[in-house]
Amino acid sequence: MSGTSAALKPPAGAVKPVRHPDAPAPGELLGSHYEHCFGCGGGQAHGLHLQARAGEGVSVTAEFTVKPAHQGAPGLAHGGVLATALDETLGSLNWLLRVIAVTGRLETDFVRPVPVDTVLHLDAEITAVHGRKIYSRATGRIGGPDGPVAVRAEALFIEVKVDHFIENGRPAEIQAAMADPDQSKRVRAFEVNP
């Protein structure tokens, strides 16, 4: 992105990200972090149902099909839905570091229209880490993983503790997520945006 804001440029002293030893293996489907997440959850009828896979290093690939419910202009994906797909993909990267993080900033470039029924192929990587700040970028392509670029983004995620969600989320959903007997699902439920 040529016009990247200063907030998205890693400062001096930022380090190269290191994949956590317990991160999912390359090629492994990451699955939904929360059943009711609009980006990846199966419990959202009109959600994106985005599926991300761990890549090499600190990267992921993902894809989702633009449905009629995702359109803005007639027959084309809504820009906000495309930004959501980028944000969801970028957020899934944090699972490779095994940290809970929220979106602090997301800058998106819309390069070309994305028609309804198109599969958007996304790839994302973490570029740097500085304290609690995680810098990353993603690209969305149409027509296949090597197709023309339709959207791209750069983001800054901020590592947080689970208290961030407990203090700010609606109690019924927080309690339901915390009561899940599957410990992995309990942890992953809180990998969401602010």
Side-chain angles (χ1 to χ4, degrees):
M1 294 175 62
S2 57
T4 300
S5 71
L8 292 176
K9 292 183 180 167
V15 297
K16 183 177 178 179
V18 177
R19 183 188 190 102
H20 192 280
D22 295 331
E28 188 175 330
L29 188 63
L30 299 182
S32 170
H33 71 84
Y34 178 56
E35 180 67 15
H36 299 290
C37 173
F38 181 78
C40 66
Q44 291 289 344
H46 297 297
L48 304 186
H49 303 149
L50 186 135
Q51 294 193 345
R53 289 188 181 279
E56 297 293 330
V58 284
S59 69
V60 298
T61 59
E63 56 183 51
F64 92 98
T65 301
V66 178
K67 302 290 185 188
H70 303 142
Q71 64 191 310
L76 297 174
H78 189 288
V81 169
L82 298 176
T84 300
L86 287 161
D87 187 44
E88 185 68 31
T89 303
L90 288 159
S92 68
L93 286 165
N94 299 309
W95 193 239
L96 301 178
L97 300 180
R98 297 301 292 259
V99 299
I100 300 171
V102 296
T103 309
R105 186 175 190 99
L106 175 70
E107 290 186 14
T108 306
D109 287 332
F110 300 94
V111 179
R112 71 181 56 214
V114 179
V116 169
D117 295 327
T118 296
V119 176
L120 188 65
H121 299 267
L122 299 124
D123 61 83
E125 67 176 336
I126 297 174
T127 58
V129 175
H130 188 260
R132 294 176 42 226
K133 295 180 177 181
I134 302 164
Y135 297 85
S136 54
R137 65 178 167 224
T139 303
R141 298 174 181 271
I142 57 177
D146 297 318
V149 173
V151 292
R152 61 180 160 246
E154 289 191 36
L156 169 63
F157 281 78
I158 308 297
E159 184 178 351
V160 296
K161 301 295 181 203
V162 75
D163 293 350
H164 170 87
F165 304 100
I166 294 169
E167 293 167 5
N168 296 293
R170 201 164 67 163
E173 283 84 355
I174 297 296
Q175 290 167 1
M178 304 258 322
D180 193 312
D182 184 326
Q183 181 178 354
S184 180
K185 282 186 177 180
R186 274 197 314 268
V187 171
R188 294 218 49 217
F190 296 102
E191 292 179 354
V192 298
N193 302 320

